[in-house]
DNA sequence: TCGATGTGTTTGCATGTACAAATAAATGAT
DNA sequence: ATCATTTATTTGTACATGCAAACACATCGA
């Protein structure tokens, strides 16, 4: 009977699906960091991009997308919002297609201010999830590399 | 000098931040499942809700939110979309506040059709991430329970 | 040089996500 | 019984995300 088959299927997916777990933990973790960063008017999604820009000096969108496994259109709009806020600025270059950007002084100041909040969130997340998964997240990201899936 | 401090900070966050890793893996994993489910016109976010409804029989929004650590407003709109598509239907009950729902015949049929795609995605995700993290995701979700963070 | 192809980015569109506030209804205290 | 409080859900708003398509420019081959 079909009803039986459905019950088995839904129980299996509910009990084993990697996406279910990953997405749930992602919501919880994102909320922890967003809570901590809220007083600064900053969200963790944006902080990540500021950090990437910070490590790269001058950041090429395509390179950030590859590193972060982030769609180009998503990055484009996030960067736009942060330019509006004065945290990022574009750099003039010869290649007319490119739109490289870097942190502004404001952006640098914001990151320095965000440090304590980040540490607090990091500590909370680690305590909640456990050291094991933190270790494994690093490994999995390593496996990923900058491979393009499609 | 402030520039030095910033470099240390951004390198530290880029190298250690749990949210950076979790969010990156979440994007990759979500894309794997969405790719597999696309021919069915279904996204993994919606599949998860259908599955929850399938395991529960009659699903109370508040209970799904607690189980999935999902904001009530988010669920409300996702359910709305799936009602429109004919995959879910609300059930009449005495408590006038409640809006419990369940799978329709269409919804059940869709889940059964989605099974092979889900298996394919599950296999790809496991191969990409490694068994270690799959194990740890389960553990971390277990730790979480249905605790409300705030 | 010029047209085809490729690369980098942005736009149009739909969905997912959460916070704050609104709404609606049940519950509890007096 | 009535009013205050609590509980369940929806709405307003803003941002995040990705696909498909458009756009802009570079590059390569004839």
């Amino acid at each position: 009977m079909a009803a039986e088959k459905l019950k088995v299927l839904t129980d299996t997916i509910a009990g084993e699906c990697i996406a279910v777990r990953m997405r749930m933990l992602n919501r919880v973790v994102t909320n922890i960091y967003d809570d901590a960063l809220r007083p600064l008017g900053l969200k963790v999604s944006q902080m990540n991009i500021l950090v990437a820009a910070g490590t790269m000096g001058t950041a090429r969108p395509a390179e950030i997308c590859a590193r972060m496994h982030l769609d180009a259109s998503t990055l484009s709009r996030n960067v736009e919002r942060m330019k509006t806020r004065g945290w990022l600025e574009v750099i003039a270059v010869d290649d007319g297609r490119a739109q490289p950007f870097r942190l502004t002084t404001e952006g640098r100041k914001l990151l320095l201010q965000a440090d304590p909040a980040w540490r607090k969130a990091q500590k909370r997340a680690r305590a909640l999830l456990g050291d094991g998964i933190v270790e494994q997240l690093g490994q999995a990201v390593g496996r990923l590399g900058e491979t393009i899936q499609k």
Side-chain angles (χ1 to χ4, degrees), chain A:
Chain A
M1 179 202 217
E4 275 312 305
K5 201 180 273 188
L6 185 78
K7 187 76 173 103
V8 172
L9 174 58
T10 54
D11 285 354
T12 302
I13 297 180
E16 300 179 10
C17 182
I18 294 167
V20 165
R21 285 154 184 69
M22 182 71 76
R23 292 172 57 82
M24 190 181 318
L25 292 173
N26 182 59
R27 285 189 294 267
V28 170
V29 168
T30 295
N31 290 343
I32 289 173
Y33 287 78
D34 279 353
D35 278 354
L37 295 170
R38 188 161 302 123
L40 296 155
L42 182 63
K43 302 193 74 180
V44 67
S45 51
Q46 302 188 343
M47 188 198 72
N48 292 350
I49 295 169
L50 295 181
V51 166
T55 61
M56 295 169 67
T58 80
R60 293 187 5 262
E63 190 181 347
I64 291 203
C65 288
R67 282 202 202 188
M68 297 181 71
H69 293 268
L70 190 63
D71 190 82
S73 63
T74 301
L75 179 65
S76 176
R77 280 166 178 127
N78 287 345
V79 168
E80 190 183 17
R81 285 185 267 267
M82 290 190 283
K83 282 194 292 191
T84 301
R85 282 163 180 68
W87 300 336
L88 293 177
E89 63 189 353
V90 294
I91 304 166
V93 284
D94 53 346
D95 187 331
R97 295 167 299 183
Q99 290 284 293
F101 58 84
R102 67 180 160 220
L103 292 172
T104 61
T105 305
E106 280 302 306
R108 279 189 284 276
K109 195 171 4 169
L110 180 67
L111 275 180
L112 291 170
Q113 288 172 341
D115 185 25
W118 174 75
R119 286 179 195 283
K120 198 175 100 186
Q122 180 82 351
K123 194 174 268 184
R124 272 190 62 186
R126 182 180 285 275
L128 186 61
L129 301 184
D131 291 344
I133 198 174
V134 175
E135 168 80 18
Q136 288 293 327
L137 285 173
Q139 292 226 349
V141 169
R143 271 169 169 260
L144 228 57
E146 290 186 14
T147 317
I148 308 298
Q149 260 81 56
K150 298 163 207 163

